[in-house]
Amino acid sequence: MLVAAQHSSNKVDCLVCSYCFRFIGSIELQIGRKLYLQGLGLSTKKECDYQTFSHSSNGFCQNEMEEAEGNFFMNESDNTGSSSSKNLKADPLPEDLLLSLMNGDLSLPYTRQFALPPVIACPGGCEEEHYCSNLCADSDWESFHSLLCTGQNTERSRRASLFKFIEHANSTNDIFILAAKVISYTILKCRKLKRSHTTEIGKQPSLDKTDEFSFSLLMEAWKPISMGFKKRWWDCIALPDDVDSGDEESFRMQIRDLAFTSLKLLKEAIFDDECAPLFSLEIYGHIIGMFELNNLDLVVASPVEDYFIYIDDLPCKEKHEAETVARPFLDALGDEYAVCCQGTAFFPLQSCMNHSCCPNAKAFKRDEDRDGHAVIVALRPISIGEEITISYIDEDLPYDERQVQLADYGFRCRCARCLQEQS
């Protein structure tokens, strides 16, 4: 992936590396932190202080519970012997118990089988980003975060502007965070190219060639982003079901105005004269539209789910002993024990693949993935020299509905299946 972000609403539920999206800390920290924050009223369903945790309402991922009879952790039997799915949370656990779990003073049985990387703090001192290693922390800092960090090391006025931008994104659409990361990436890459070029030739370009030189570096830095198909966000976003077609123009203008406000706030925070073209509404709209048309869901399975499944599969004696300790925490978590990390990512290679309604591959997140990487999986044997295609839409839709959805991508599909099905 070139750029990705965990959904703001998911950050209370899952503590993950902000660069590779692996779960970090420990099973105890994951459980204790989630229950503690929810006890403070910071949940995916409530707004919270954007300086510590974000409050967007989209992106919440909750796995469905298995309903196999006799599964201790998934079902509870009543006195008649029938089984009913456990959907309600137990009463909140004592705060001191949760703090002991988070601080490592209390250990749950068998969690060593699910060891996680330690939590590494942000180099800039902010509380929003955490990492699984110094390598990820440094990579994120060099690629994105040094311009977007709200830590105490950031200049005061810029820090205040960043908070305003983040607050707006979290209360409207956290796709703006991704757009900011793209712009930050391009600016930092451009600066790095400039330093490298100056080092190689030993001097700065002459004044009459400065603008030309800066633009060429900006275009070079922009290359990885240019791989994604782009269309202005307000032109390509699907019309919601609750918006009448007669109100479409007004709706798209509102979306444009939303992007304009976001861009204005971002400019106040990280504007760079040498990269000024990045801060036009046209470019900003195309960056957001790129995510609308090319994004792949970022999903990383929770080790907490794996942990409780492991406990449930233990032999009777060991299972009973483990349940005595672990059961109160599962009851407190309720159905949300299996919430995964979820976000949005841009993968340049995947974005280069053309569409087919009978694709020979698909972009896929595997159950065994423990970070934000994805794979392209072949759906059938692919011959040497044959183009690899994926589907941009639900290929099970009827022909006419497929063509309507693909119109957002700017083309009419003429794959073998469409040619056969067209009237």
Side-chain angles (χ1 to χ4, degrees), residues 128-358:
E128 289 80 24
E129 311 300 335
H130 306 86
Y131 304 94
C132 68
S133 65
N134 288 321
L135 177 61
C136 276
D138 293 342
S139 297
D140 194 38
W141 185 261
E142 293 173 6
S143 299
F144 310 101
H145 191 55
S146 57
L147 286 182
L148 302 173
C149 182
T150 56
Q152 295 294 335
N153 296 335
T154 301
E155 191 269 324
R156 186 174 180 180
S157 62
R158 192 162 72 85
R159 185 167 174 258
S161 297
L162 281 167
F163 276 137
K164 290 179 182 178
F165 168 77
I166 295 170
E167 180 183 30
H168 176 265
N170 288 337
S171 62
T172 55
N173 194 323
D174 60 8
I175 201 170
F176 295 136
I177 301 292
L178 280 165
K181 293 186 77 168
V182 167
I183 291 178
S184 177
Y185 168 87
T186 308
I187 292 173
L188 293 171
K189 184 72 178 291
C190 188
R191 291 176 182 176
K192 186 176 181 179
L193 289 170
K194 183 176 182 179
R195 288 194 300 269
S196 177
H197 184 275
T198 303
T199 301
E200 287 178 7
I201 66 173
K203 61 179 182 179
Q204 296 280 1
S206 57
L207 289 177
D208 60 327
K209 294 185 177 181
T210 297
D211 290 344
E212 180 182 342
F213 173 69
S214 297
F215 188 74
S216 66
L217 292 181
L218 181 59
M219 290 299 97
E220 181 67 23
W222 179 256
K223 272 186 179 180
I225 311 299
S226 67
M227 297 172 72
F229 175 76
K230 297 174 186 65
K231 199 173 180 181
R232 292 184 305 189
W233 183 41
W234 46 89
D235 291 333
C236 67
I237 188 172
L239 194 67
D241 293 337
D242 58 351
V243 176
D244 188 86
S245 58
D247 297 325
E248 179 173 355
E249 184 177 353
S250 174
F251 166 77
R252 297 197 181 281
M253 284 303 298
Q254 289 177 21
I255 295 298
R256 182 183 180 279
D257 292 343
L258 199 64
F260 176 80
T261 300
S262 174
L263 176 61
K264 181 181 178 182
L265 294 170
L266 185 63
K267 286 175 70 174
E268 292 173 358
I270 66 169
F271 183 77
D272 185 303
D273 284 328
E274 293 187 344
C275 299
L278 294 175
F279 294 90
S280 71
L281 183 59
E282 187 76 7
I283 294 296
Y284 197 61
H286 277 81
I287 291 173
I288 303 171
M290 178 184 73
F291 285 108
E292 191 76 28
L293 298 172
N294 296 274
N295 72 296
L296 186 65
D297 286 341
L298 174 70
V299 179
V300 183
S302 169
V304 174
E305 178 184 20
D306 295 339
Y307 169 71
F308 284 121
I309 291 174
Y310 177 86
I311 295 294
D312 196 56
D313 289 338
L314 288 171
C316 290
K317 181 181 178 181
E318 290 85 348
K319 176 179 175 179
H320 176 73
E321 293 174 352
E323 285 173 351
T324 302
V325 179
R327 183 56 187 260
F329 296 101
L330 178 64
D331 287 345
L333 289 169
D335 288 358
E336 297 178 8
Y337 83 100
V339 172
C340 59
C341 167
Q342 189 171 18
T344 302
F346 172 66
F347 296 83
L349 181 61
Q350 174 238 342
S351 74
C352 289
M353 294 180 176
N354 282 327
H355 165 83
S356 172
C357 295
C358 47

Side-chain angles (χ1 to χ4, degrees), residues 29 72 96 112 119 159 161 190 193 230 268-269 278 294 303 325 360-362 369 402 412 418:
L29 177 60
F72 180 89
D96 57 347
R112 289 187 179 181
V119 179
R159 185 167 174 258
S161 297
C190 188
L193 289 170
K230 297 174 186 65
E268 292 173 358
L278 294 175
N294 296 274
V325 179
N360 55 23
K362 65 176 178 178
D369 287 343
R402 297 201 308 271
R412 186 173 185 82
C418 286

